[in-house]
């Protein structure tokens, strides 16, 4: 049920607003009088709320300025003494709506519905996203990912998240859910690789045989996620029979529990993730082509940690701060040698391996400075590999790649650039990330070649 927070000092008007919202099916929360102080409201977790409804007098820069405190949650202002200048100023400062009393009950309900359908994508990128979720990093690859989450999050389109194991694909899924109109509804997660094939169908679709006694029916995860999001990690491990049933749910928008003959409508946004090549699995008959096309509407790539540059140090500091607080060792820090070691190491296990290394080092450290030996990483696995014989030629080839891309990316498509360089589109993307030359957006694009 959609949750709404009311911030209104007047008890009678607050009760009036509550009555309207509850009669329209919304769940209403009212802060206690003590919470109606700026510091208390700022400390509240506003994530569960679809929007905040506040008196217009609480937006004028006084002791309780909701527009200043709740910039990442849509705010609807209601004014018992409406004023045009106040309304204009509030909208300029980011208010989602301004309702002048007296207003019809339907007007308030409609304003809340608009907040659900027009939820601000800014909440899912930049500071807002990284405050709510531990997604840390400012590298070119992560900036591109934040931008994609901001665009895709508010839609209901299926999303396929690709990336190596340990890169944080579930965090990306949670950010997509938080940026959607379903944010107040549950997000259910399942790692398909952890459930035996004979059980996964009942886990997903539920169990309700026609001859079962009352109370024996069991809801599946799809049903539990109704109105929200279902995240299936390691989707490549899902068996072909379960794939066929999942495809039916996506096509028809209805669910039939395992063993039952009855169907009922289901409304779920599906987000999936894998580290495997689903396209290759389709070719080998290991994954259904029709399901693959259903899942691959939008694909997000999570870059490996070795391609994220100084993000390694930002992540390590973030992890250390959290672990040190848990262990009561707040003065812990990395030595310069440790920071250099972390930059040089390739991190084949990605963020998960970094988390384990930092936590282990924090536990074993007797002083305040973590030295490289405590990280216990194999320094032979270096990210900055030694230059091979003919290193000058390698450097000149990379220089040529950079200069060619920068000179032609405004007039050629990515496909045309790759063809000119004699590489695949994927290789072009990977080299862009490694050499930190992300695609620039331009209004002017060269003509596409005629296909014969």
């Amino acid at each position: 049920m959609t949750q709404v927070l009311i911030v209104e000092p007047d008890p009678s008007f607050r009760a009036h607003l509550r009555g309207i919202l509850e009669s329209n099916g919304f769940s209403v929360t009212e802060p206690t009088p003590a919470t109606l102080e700026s510091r208390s409201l700022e400390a509240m977790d506003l994530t569960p709320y679809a929007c905040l409804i506040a008196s217009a007098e609480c937006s004028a820069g006084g002791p309780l300025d909701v527009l200043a405190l709740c910039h990442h949650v849509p705010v609807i202002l209601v004014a018992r003494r409406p004023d045009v200048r106040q309304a204009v100023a509030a909208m300029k400062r980011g208010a989602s709506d301004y309702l002048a009393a007296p207003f019809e009950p339907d007007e308030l309900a409609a304003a809340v519905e608009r907040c659900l359908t027009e939820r601000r994508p800014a909440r899912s990128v930049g500071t807002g996203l990284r405050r709510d979720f531990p997604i840390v990093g400012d590298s070119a690859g992560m900036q591109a990912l934040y931008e994609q989450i901001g665009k895709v999050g508010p839609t209901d389109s299926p999303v396929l998240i690709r990336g190596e194991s340990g890169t944080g694909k579930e965090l990306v899924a949670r950010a997509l859910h938080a940026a959607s109109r379903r944010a107040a509804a549950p997000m259910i997660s399942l790692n398909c690789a952890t459930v035996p094939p004979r059980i996964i169908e009942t886990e997903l679709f539920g169990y309700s045989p026609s001859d079962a006694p009352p109370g024996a029916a069991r809801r599946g995860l799809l049903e539990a996620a109704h109105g929200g999001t279902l995240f299936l990690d390691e989707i490549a491990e899902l068996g072909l029979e379960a794939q066929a049933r999942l495809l039916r749910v996506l096509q028809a928008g209805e669910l039939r529990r395992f063993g039952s003959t009855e169907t009922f409508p289901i409304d779920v946004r599906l987000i999936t993730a894998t580290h495997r090549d689903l396209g290759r699995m389709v070719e080998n008959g290991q994954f259904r082509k029709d399901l693959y096309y259903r899942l691959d509407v939008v694909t997000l790539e999570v870059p490996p940690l070795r391609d994220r540059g100084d993000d390694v140090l930002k992540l390590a500091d973030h992890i250390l701060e959290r672990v040190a607080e848990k262990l009561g060792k707040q003065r812990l820090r990395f030595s310069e040698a440790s920071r250099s070691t972390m930059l040089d190491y390739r991190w084949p296990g990605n963020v998960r391996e970094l988390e384990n290394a930092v936590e282990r080092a924090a536990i074993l450290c007797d002083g305040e400075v973590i030295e490289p030996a405590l990280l216990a990483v194999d320094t032979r696995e270096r990210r900055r590999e030694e230059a091979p014989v003919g290193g000058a030629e390698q450097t000149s080839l990379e220089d040529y790649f950079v200069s060619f891309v920068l000179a032609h990316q405004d007039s050629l498509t990515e496909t045309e650039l790759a063809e000119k360089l004699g590489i695949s589109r994927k290789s072009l993307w990977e080299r862009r990330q490694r050499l930190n030359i992300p695609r620039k957006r331009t209004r002017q694009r060269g003509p596409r070649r005629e296909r014969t």
Side-chain angles (χ1 to χ4, degrees), residues 435-450:
L435 298 173
N436 197 25
I437 46 173
R439 177 83 189 191
K440 293 183 179 179
R441 295 187 171 191
T442 58
R443 295 185 180 178
Q444 184 176 0
R445 299 290 299 274
R448 293 182 179 270
R449 295 182 299 179
E450 292 290 331

Side-chain angles (χ1 to χ4, degrees), residues 152-264:
V152 178
T155 73
D156 272 342
S157 298
V159 179
L160 175 62
I161 304 171
R162 298 197 304 186
E164 297 177 5
S165 295
T167 50
K169 295 187 288 292
E170 184 168 355
L171 290 178
V172 174
R174 293 193 176 280
L176 287 166
H177 174 70
S180 73
R181 63 179 182 85
R182 302 170 182 266
M187 172 177 157
I188 306 294
S189 300
L190 174 69
N191 188 321
C192 299
T194 63
V195 184
R198 66 183 183 278
I199 299 176
I200 198 164
E201 288 198 46
T202 56
E203 283 288 312
L204 280 175
F205 307 103
Y207 180 71
S208 182
S210 55
D211 58 349
R218 177 183 174 187
R219 288 201 317 163
L221 297 182
L222 277 161
E223 193 173 347
H226 178 67
T229 302
L230 177 65
F231 172 58
L232 297 180
D233 199 2
E234 301 297 350
I235 186 66
E237 307 305 320
L238 195 64
L240 290 172
E241 291 185 9
Q243 290 177 30
R245 292 180 66 90
L246 181 60
L247 177 64
R248 171 65 181 168
V249 173
L250 296 177
Q251 287 177 331
E254 59 185 25
L255 176 67
R256 179 170 62 86
R257 288 176 179 165
F258 194 74
S260 174
T261 58
E262 298 181 358
T263 62
F264 50 90

Side-chain angles (χ1 to χ4, degrees), residues 82-95:
D83 178 85
V84 174
R85 291 184 180 180
Q86 182 188 61
V88 172
M91 299 302 285
K92 284 184 176 180
R93 295 185 60 209

Side-chain angles (χ1 to χ4, degrees), residues 6 16-18 20-21 24 26 51 53 76-78 97 99 103-114:
I6 297 179
H16 173 63
L17 295 173
R18 183 187 191 106
I20 293 174
L21 293 167
N24 281 274
F26 300 111
C51 68
I53 298 176
I76 299 171
L77 297 177
V78 291
D97 219 324
L99 300 180
F103 47 80
E104 295 295 327
D106 288 347
E107 292 183 66
L108 182 60
V112 176
E113 290 291 346
R114 282 194 294 273

Side-chain angles (χ1 to χ4, degrees), residues 41 65 75 78 112 115 126 173 177 196 244 273 280 296 310 312 365 367 371 431 449:
L41 184 63
D65 189 344
V75 176
V78 291
V112 176
C115 288
H177 174 70
R280 180 68 58 85
D296 195 28
D310 290 345
V312 174
C365 186
E371 297 294 345
R431 292 191 189 184
R449 295 182 299 179

Side-chain angles (χ1 to χ4, degrees), residues 283-311:
E283 294 175 2
N284 296 337
Q286 299 172 294
F287 202 87
R288 292 182 63 103
K289 180 186 292 187
D290 43 9
L291 178 60
Y292 173 59
Y293 290 143
R294 281 277 178 177
L295 301 180
D296 195 28
V297 175
V298 178
T299 300
L300 300 186
E301 297 276 354
V302 185
L305 190 54
R306 63 181 173 273
D307 291 343
R308 292 176 55 182
D310 290 345
D311 281 358

Side-chain angles (χ1 to χ4, degrees), residues 31-49:
T32 62
T35 307
L36 293 179
E37 302 174 2
S38 60
R39 291 184 180 179
S40 299
L41 184 63
E42 187 176 18
M44 284 185 65
D45 179 15
L46 302 178
T47 305
Y49 301 106

